[in-house]
Amino acid sequence: MVLQILTYTHHITTMLFGIFLSAFFLGVKQDKKNILQLLSLAVVSGILYVLCVLLFGTETVDQIYPLIVHAPLLFVLVLHYKFRILPSLISIFTAYLCCQCSNWMGLFALFVTGQEWCYYVCRILVTIGVFVILCRYVCQTTAMLFAKTDRELLIIGSLPMVYYIFDYATTKFSSLLYTGNKAVPEFLGLPCV
């Protein structure tokens, strides 16, 4: 029971992290109106996620997560907040990349303790901590970066974009990362170039 509560709390905090951070990276003001609008998007996405899990199962929903959460977020950023598509996409990819910090720390906690509940507690705490730090110290700078031309944005956003595609291709859409295929670690250096 406790593990289920922690699992759901982790999913909720991660979804909120991604939605709010994607918007704040672009320069959406962190005021009451925008927070309520983004929270409404999160509630709708959460309901859609739960309905899809009930209909299709968790494994399938993990694969279509971008359609459930990332696509509606992209539409809101472009149609409601009037940001260009490329900066909006790169902002979503960057927020996704920032989520990995909590994943790495959670895996470390799991490795050290061997307890799954420690994994989720660590992920929840790190997600909240990273969110606060990024909102306070980074979002103003990223808003200026995302105002650059598309050509400049492609350079800035190439790493988050490649990581997003790589992660989904090797872990969500397949188990390629865990197969021992030698091509996978060979490719890992490419995003770092």
Side-chain angles (χ1 to χ4, degrees):
M1 174 87 165
V2 171
L3 191 58
Q4 273 186 322
I5 292 169
L6 288 172
T7 302
Y8 294 136
T9 303
H10 153 67
H11 287 306
I12 291 167
T13 56
T14 301
M15 184 178 65
L16 291 171
F17 177 95
I19 289 172
F20 280 90
L21 202 57
S22 295
F24 295 161
F25 273 164
L26 287 168
V28 171
K29 290 186 181 183
Q30 299 176 28
D31 60 19
K32 185 177 180 179
K33 177 185 169 194
N34 289 322
I35 289 170
L36 289 174
Q37 289 174 346
L38 293 169
L39 194 56
S40 298
L41 172 63
V43 168
V44 169
S45 294
I47 291 169
L48 183 59
Y49 179 85
V50 169
L51 289 174
C52 288
V53 166
L54 294 173
L55 291 172
F56 307 115
T58 306
E59 189 174 314
T60 301
V61 174
D62 284 346
Q63 292 180 343
I64 62 170
Y65 189 83
L67 296 175
I68 298 170
V69 177
H70 300 159
L73 174 59
L74 177 65
F75 291 133
V76 167
L77 294 174
V78 172
L79 299 176
H80 177 68
Y81 287 109
K82 307 295 185 209
F83 290 105
R84 297 184 338 262
I85 291 174
L86 185 62
S88 299
L89 278 171
I90 293 172
S91 180
I92 292 168
F93 297 152
T94 304
Y96 183 83
L97 182 59
C98 291
C99 285
Q100 299 313 306
C101 184
S102 75
N103 187 32
W104 300 330
M105 296 306 292
L107 289 172
F108 179 74
L110 181 62
F111 174 76
V112 170
T113 65
Q115 301 293 317
E116 203 170 346
W117 69 268
C118 289
Y119 167 79
Y120 287 112
V121 167
C122 184
R123 286 212 60 183
I124 293 164
L125 294 175
V126 171
T127 297
I128 293 168
V130 168
F131 179 78
V132 169
I133 290 167
L134 291 175
C135 284
R136 184 165 183 143
Y137 300 108
V138 178
C139 287
Q140 289 179 343
T141 304
T142 58
M144 289 186 292
L145 288 174
F146 285 125
K148 300 280 185 185
T149 66
D150 286 352
R151 185 175 182 203
E152 293 169 308
L153 280 174
L154 284 173
I155 295 167
I156 294 167
S158 61
L159 177 64
M161 180 178 61
V162 168
Y163 180 80
Y164 182 91
I165 293 167
F166 177 80
D167 192 50
Y168 267 91
T170 60
T171 63
K172 306 292 192 279
F173 298 144
S174 72
S175 59
L176 185 62
L177 188 63
Y178 310 112
T179 62
N181 185 325
K182 291 186 182 206
V184 175
E186 289 298 324
F187 177 80
L188 282 173
L190 178 64
C192 298
V193 174

